């Protein structure tokens, strides 16, 4: 073995030993245990599951309360009705009675016991779903705008190519079906012939001819790999955060011409490790439509062969592009691609779109975008979203698209069914009018964090409602009620709810304390920057108030909070905060001096004292205040 091979990270060796993702999962699944070994945990991820434990139930000296999270892989967020109903059933049968829409348009079920994992995965596959490749070092769920516009070909193309690229990069190992379905292949939609051909064609060394994985090889990717396909102007997919984004380019007739390519985005970082950072993707170039699969393979091969397999902290493709520079990266990609990459076509500005409420889908049918707080589909108090969705999907057999902002869209709705669907939403307290949703809630996201995520430093999903309520109060006090600010929170710096693209980002840094990021754009086209390392959550109001006051006083017309922070800069914000706090302290001091004056005593005769007491009670004022006012008024008459 070469010295380079011996330096490889432990996970690289586990992958290689796994025999294309089979072991030790296959063996350990049959054992009567509550959890898997460390090696099996790594391989299990590729099958779409994470071993977790309920951190609320940790007791020193006792075995952890082990449970498993299952994540679906469904390109463009597509969930057919039968799959939704199966997931909903599994959430009750094996899970914690909730489903969770993720920030990459997938569903997660939490709380599954090891003994039920096989039944749960098998049920998903038999309902036309999959969890294969939802986690692990390979291509993750491909994102696409969830809007079901049938009269806008670019949107349909984005869906189509998200599906095709997902097919191209799906692992080919037989392990998944052997382990979870006893070798029975699932009935899946037929793969497009051009995708099949592209996988087999060996464009300049992009493909392995031996083994089960032509594109990945036996060691898969150095790290997770994330792609999106979108349309010009639509940034619902947070395109600058992806390893690879393809933007559909059509001609005036709506016919596909090719794709603008962005690459090298990524958000994961570690506190106090400067060598890790969030990075926005670079514009790479333009690729004609017939070349797209070979181009994707060329990018994948570049990261596969040159990505860091020694340090997992440095293994995402963003570090390769950053270390090499865009030009060197492009040269390497071109050598796999076999031709030069053309310059990008002109694009309009990208905007964040969430597609909520009732809308026309362009072919006479309707769609309905439903906002879900932090993606958690549950029944809680008056808000019975889970029951409402089950009833709607069952009765009307509607497909859905999960959105990258943890919400969902029901589509293919007959206009005649609109009233009945609205009535179900009303009956179960589900607000479907976007105008009536509080703007902070509408635009915010939070990751799951505690109690399921093993990496969480702080709370996130469970505390964000109270934090948004507190922020709303501060906004109210400074005359900014209903200001739409994009707020995102995570329980650690990995960035699962993409906080580094928010206008106001909270990133768990110490128990009960968050790093605060400011200056992202409302359309997620610019990275935010860290403003403070540790804001104790108890100090939220005193921390934010001066910043909001400054924003309220000095913003330009229609300027958003994020744009304002970016324009004035952190130095100006800090300066304002210091002056504001000094003023507050002076006011408090004056107040104290003023109230200390009241401490002088003046003697009163009994009658006068009783009269003052009666008047003070009648007016609801303290006696000393009324006495002070009366004396002040009398003295004025003398001067
Ligand atoms: Fe994530 C790890 C949840 C989107 C960056 N992420 C995790 C794990 C699996 C924790 C773990 O490794 O033990 C979390 C499970 C929590 C739980 O209890 O469910 C977790 N990530 C999520 C989800 C569910 C958050 C959500 O609120 O929806 C998202 C699932 C998406 C999906 O369907 O595939 C999720 N994670 C993201 C994103 C956003 C995105 O992809 O658009 C990011 C930042 C973008 C990026 O990858 O650069 C993200 N997650 C990470 C990282 C840091 C990766 C890195 O490059 O350093 C980790 C930790 C790791 O990989 O070592 C992580
Ligand atoms: Fe867990 Fe951190 Fe991701 Fe939140 S951001 S889900 S705490 S890994």
């Amino acid at each position: 073995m070469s010295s380079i091979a011996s330096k490889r990270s432990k996970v690289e060796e586990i992958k290689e030993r796994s025999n294309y993702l089979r072991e030790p999962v296959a063996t350990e699944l049959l054992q009567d245990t509550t959890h898997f070994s460390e090696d099996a945990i790594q391989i299990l991820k590729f099958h779409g599951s994470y071993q977790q434990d309920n951190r609320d139930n940790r007791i020193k000296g006792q075995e952890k309360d082990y449970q498993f999270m299952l994540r679906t892989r469904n390109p463009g967020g597509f969930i057919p009705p039968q799959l939704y109903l199966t997931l909903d059933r599994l959430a009750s049968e094996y899970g914690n009675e909730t489903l969770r829409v993720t920030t990459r348009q997938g569903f997660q079920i939490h709380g599954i016991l090891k003994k039920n994992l096989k039944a749960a995965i098998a049920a998903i596959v038999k309902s036309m779903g999959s969890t294969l490749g939802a986690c692990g070092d390979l291509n993750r769920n491909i994102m696409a705008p969830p809007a079901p516009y049938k009269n806008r070909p670019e949107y349909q193309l984005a869906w189509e190519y998200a599906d095709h690229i997902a097919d191209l990069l799906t692992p080919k190992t037989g392990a998944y079906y052997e382990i979870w379905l006893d070798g029975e292949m699932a009935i899946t939609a037929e793969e497009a012939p051009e995708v099949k051909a592209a996988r087999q064609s060996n464009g300049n060394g992009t493909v392995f001819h031996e083994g089960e994985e032509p594109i990945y090889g036996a060691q898969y990717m150095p790290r997770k790999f994330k792609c999106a396909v979108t349309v010009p102007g639509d940034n619902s997919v947070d395109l600058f955060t992806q390893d690879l984004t393809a933007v559909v380019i059509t001609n005036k007739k709506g016919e596909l011409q090719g794709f603008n390519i962005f690459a090298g985005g990524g958000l994961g970082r570690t506190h106090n490790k400067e060598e890790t950072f969030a990075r926005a993707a670079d514009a790479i170039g333009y690729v004609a439509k017939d070349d797209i699969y070979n181009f994707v393979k060329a990018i994948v091969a570049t990261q596969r062969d040159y990505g860091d397999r020694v340090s997992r902290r440095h293994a995402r493709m963003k570090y390769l592009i950053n270390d090499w520079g865009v030009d060197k990266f492009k040269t390497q990609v071109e050598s796999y691609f076999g031709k030069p990459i053309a310059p990008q076509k002109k694009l309009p500005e990208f905007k964040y779109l969430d597609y909520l409420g009732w809308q026309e889908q362009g072919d006479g049918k309707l769609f309905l975008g439903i906002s879900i707080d932090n993606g958690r589909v549950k029944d809680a108090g008056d808000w019975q979203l889970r029951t409402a969705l089950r009833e709607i999907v069952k009765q009307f057999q509607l497909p859905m698209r999960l959105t990258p902002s943890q919400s969902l869209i029901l589509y293919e709705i007959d206009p005649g069914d609109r009233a009945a669907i609205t009535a179900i939403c009303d009956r179960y307290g589900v607000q479907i009018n976007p105008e009536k949703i509080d703007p902070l809630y509408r635009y915010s996201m939070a990751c799951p964090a505690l109690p399921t995520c093993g990496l969480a430093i702080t709370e996130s999903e469970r505390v964000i409602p109270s934090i948004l309520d507190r922020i709303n109060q501060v906004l109210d006090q400074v005359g900014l009620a209903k200001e739409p600010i994009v707020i995102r929170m995570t329980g650690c710096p990995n960035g699962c709810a993409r906080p580094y693209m928010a206008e106001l980002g909270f990133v768990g840094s110490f128990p009960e304390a968050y790093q605060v990021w400011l200056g992202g754009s409302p359309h997620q086209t610019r990275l935010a920057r860290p403003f403070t390392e540790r804001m104790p959550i108890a100090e939220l109001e005193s921390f934010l108030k001066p910043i909001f006051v400054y924003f309220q006083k000095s913003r330009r017309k229609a300027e958003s909070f994020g744009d304002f922070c970016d324009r004035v800069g952190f130095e100006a914000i800090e300066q304002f905060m210091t002056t504001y706090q000094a003023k507050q302290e002076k006011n408090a001091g004056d107040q104290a001096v003023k109230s200390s004056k009241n401490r002088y005593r003046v003697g009163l005769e009994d009658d006068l004292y009783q009269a003052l007491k009666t008047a003070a009670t009648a007016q609801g004022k303290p006696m000393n205040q009324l006495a002070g006012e009366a004396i002040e008024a009398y003295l004025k008459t003398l001067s």
Side-chain angles (χ1 to χ4, degrees), residues 447-450 453-458 460 489-497:
C447 73
L450 294 165
C453 179
L455 306 178
I457 301 168
T458 58
S460 182
M489 174 176 259
T490 56
C492 88
N494 282 319
C496 298

Side-chain angles (χ1 to χ4, degrees), residues 45 50 52 69 71-72 100-108 110 134 140-141 143 223-224 226 241-242 265-269 316 318 406 446-449 452-455 494-498:
K45 292 180 188 178
Y50 271 76
Q52 304 183 316
M69 172 267 274
R71 186 184 287 169
T72 63
R100 193 170 185 288
V101 184
T102 75
T103 53
R104 290 195 73 77
Q105 302 180 273
F107 262 128
Q108 283 189 178
H110 288 101
R140 299 295 190 88
N141 197 35
M143 284 160 68
R223 205 63 163 85
K224 54 181 72 165
K226 297 183 172 178
T241 68
Q242 312 284 339
L267 301 182
R269 43 178 288 281
R316 291 293 296 274
K318 65 179 173 182
Q406 302 174 319
C447 73
T452 51
C453 179
L455 306 178
N494 282 319
C496 298
R498 299 188 289 269

